Amino acid sequence: MKLIDIARELDLKVRAAAEKMEKEVSGGYVGDLLSDVMGNAREGQVWITRQTHQNIVAVADLKDLAGIVLVNRCEPLAETVEKANEVGMPILVSSFPAFELAGRIYILIAKAKGVSFL
Amino acid sequence: MPQGDGIIYQDSFPVEGGNFETAGQVSGRIKAILKNLNLPKEIIRRATLVAYESEINIVSYATRGEIKLIVKPEEVIVEADDIGPGIEDIELAMQAGYSTANEKIREMGFGAGMGLFNINTYSDIFKISSEVGKGTHLHMVVKVNEKEPNEIN
């Protein structure tokens, strides 16, 4: 499933690197601790977080994540957007809290992969 | 360019203490270099991770430091040296979840006490030495042909 399809289904707004929304999303990871994400997120996953500062871009880029989704109507800082555009890392925003957003994205990906999830 | 002792590539990068704006840049460069050298993806992933955690430690705690990258056909070596407060109890610092980070560092999502633990997990050889009031030295090796540890998928 592509990032752009997830964004459309869940009404996520794109704040950076809109040209990279065709990336394939393999799964997701939720976390606000950067070392946790660094150690445990996998390539191609979408990262759900409420951290808004620019260091999230470096982590997502180093880990080759598909994109970052900020929860709870959080907006990325200006320098975060700038950096994300520079490296081509999509940042999206959502009005959902992390738990609900993760659940919805999980269902979308599981359906797309034809996996039973309940 | 080939150098002595089977070294394919060698360079070192300065890291500024306290500057979170540029944190991750050195690791980004290291990742790009390893990609250019066409190393296996998994090796790049692990070497980048140990470089990143070392870099964040220097930024979070030290005055300044340096990260050295040495690439050989059989291994990638990352060395991190800093001038800083040093570590009082290394055994304790290695424990997952133990951290001396201040509130500012924690608010950014750093200082979770996972840095050294991650390095230990993702490197094949990890040596750490430190002198209180002087600084810390990390020596990390990711073996190119080593079978991947089970805990990393």
Side-chain angles (χ1 to χ4, degrees), chain B residues 3 9-13 29-30 33 67-71:
Chain B
Q3 298 172 36
Y9 186 95
Q10 180 168 276
D11 206 351
S12 58
F13 312 90
R29 282 180 69 184
I30 286 174
I33 290 163
I67 293 179
K68 193 191 272 181
L69 173 70
I70 300 161
V71 184

Side-chain angles (χ1 to χ4, degrees), chain B residues 30-95:
Chain B
I30 286 174
K31 183 186 175 191
I33 290 163
L34 298 177
K35 258 188 176 170
N36 274 337
L37 293 171
N38 275 322
L39 286 165
K41 234 178 170 179
E42 185 53 29
I43 303 304
I44 298 174
R45 196 167 77 86
R46 290 168 56 200
T48 303
L49 181 135
V50 302
Y52 179 79
E53 296 292 3
S54 311
E55 186 179 358
I56 292 303
N57 278 349
I58 296 172
V59 173
S60 300
Y61 304 107
T63 312
R64 64 174 189 278
E66 185 184 70
I67 293 179
K68 193 191 272 181
L69 173 70
I70 300 161
V71 184
K72 295 181 182 180
E74 71 281 9
E75 62 192 15
V76 177
I77 303 165
V78 179
E79 306 259 1
D81 270 296
D82 71 51
I83 295 168
I87 301 169
E88 251 173 63
D89 188 336
I90 290 176
E91 205 179 315
L92 195 56
M94 294 284 294
Q95 275 179 24

Side-chain angles (χ1 to χ4, degrees), chain A residues 32-35 38-39 42-43 51 53-55 58-59 61-64 83, chain B residues 20-21 23 27-28 31 41 45 48-49 52-53 107-110 114 118 122:
Chain A
D32 296 332
L33 298 175
L34 306 199
S35 281
M38 209 55 212
R42 309 273 172 80
E43 180 182 347
Q51 294 286 2
H53 58 81
Q54 57 185 325
N55 291 282
V59 169
D61 189 42
L62 288 171
K63 294 293 285 186
D64 295 315
K83 225 170 211 182
Chain B
F20 283 95
E21 268 176 44
S27 321
K31 183 186 175 191
K41 234 178 170 179
R45 196 167 77 86
T48 303
L49 181 135
Y52 179 79
E53 296 292 3
E107 260 174 27
M108 296 177 85
F110 296 115
M114 295 302 294
N118 273 352
Y122 282 85

